[in-house]
Amino acid sequence: MVTLKTNTSVVKIDAGELVGYEVKGHEFIHQKGSPGWGSADTEMFPIIGPVNESDFRVKTPKGEAIQDQHGLLRQMAYELGHQTDTSAVFVKQYRSGTEVPNSKFPEKSTEALLSWPYDFRFEKSFLLTDDGLEIHFKIYGEKGMPFMLGYHPAFKLHSKSPMIVTEDKAIALDEVLEAGSRAFQVEDCTSITLKDEKQITIETEGFGNFMCWTEVRNMVCIEPISFYPSAVNQTRLHKGFQKLEETAEFKVILKPEA
């Protein structure tokens, strides 16, 4: 467990997963073991969304890749690259064609092994200040590699009627619940505020969109995404790819209320 601290905040990171962000005694992150989801955060890469209806295949310029929901990155383990009292960097390295065991097999998938036809290096870094928590993502790889990126944090809910607020709309928890597995789309948006017992704002760079998901009332996932997967049929998921220019950088800033 990696712990980052300032005068007012404590962050806990378990093998690259943000499992705690406590500010002045208030916990913002969904706790494992609580109803709703078995994780606290994860990444969606190099695809976002389910692929069971496309036989777990995704089109790329180098042929079809075998993927499962939200990509193979989450099936790989992070290595700690660097750590200070207020920062940490985690890395995942992948070599083209390497078969990665799929934890969803056989209960939820027909594919025991996943693979991707490109090399990449994925870095996830945390920087904690008294003003907030910055989470940076850097992708290194072959020029022209297709990819999507989504960040999937889960926030603990403390009140009965939380609201998710953007510049031009307010979204009730019931609306997110009604969206179900498709997730509630929030397009062309770079900042969202979760108004609960305490409020926290999620600001982003590089993603451009959000989707929100939950099946319970004690947590909600507010997910920055580069592409909303339910916008297309699963066989056309490749339409959501962007192309890597050798490197790409994305940022999420969690800003709790003062």
Side-chain angles (χ1 to χ4, degrees), residues 147 149 189-190 203-209 224-227 242 249-252:
F147 74 97
L149 177 62
C189 181
T190 60
E203 296 182 356
T204 69
E205 294 179 13
F207 293 94
N209 309 276
I225 52 173
S226 63
F227 178 71
Q242 55 185 269
E249 296 189 26
F250 297 78
K251 180 161 57 170
V252 175

Side-chain angles (χ1 to χ4, degrees), residues 200-227:
I200 189 167
T201 298
I202 302 98
E203 296 182 356
T204 69
E205 294 179 13
F207 293 94
N209 309 276
F210 286 87
M211 62 183 182
C212 304
W213 171 84
T214 191
E215 295 179 346
V216 295
R217 292 189 170 275
N218 59 279
M219 57 144 273
V220 64
C221 295
I222 301 176
E223 309 165 34
I225 52 173
S226 63
F227 178 71

Side-chain angles (χ1 to χ4, degrees), residues 36-49:
W37 189 39
S39 299
D41 90 342
T42 192
E43 288 73 57
M44 299 175 278
F45 179 88
I47 67 164
I48 304 172

Side-chain angles (χ1 to χ4, degrees), residues 50-113:
V51 284
N52 57 299
E53 294 175 7
S54 62
D55 196 29
F56 299 95
R57 267 64 177 173
V58 180
K59 293 179 181 178
T60 82
K62 289 189 175 183
E64 289 188 330
I66 301 174
Q67 297 286 292
D68 210 316
Q69 180 165 327
H70 298 327
L72 57 65
L73 186 76
R74 59 176 53 196
Q75 303 294 340
M76 300 164 56
Y78 274 115
E79 292 185 3
L80 177 61
H82 179 69
Q83 179 186 353
T84 70
D85 290 343
T86 57
S87 68
V89 179
F90 295 85
V91 179
K92 293 184 181 183
Q93 193 92 25
Y94 180 78
R95 184 174 294 277
S96 169
T98 301
E99 293 181 324
V100 176
N102 183 12
S103 64
K104 290 180 175 289
F105 176 84
E107 288 81 7
K108 296 182 179 179
S109 176
T110 60
E111 302 300 319
L113 300 169

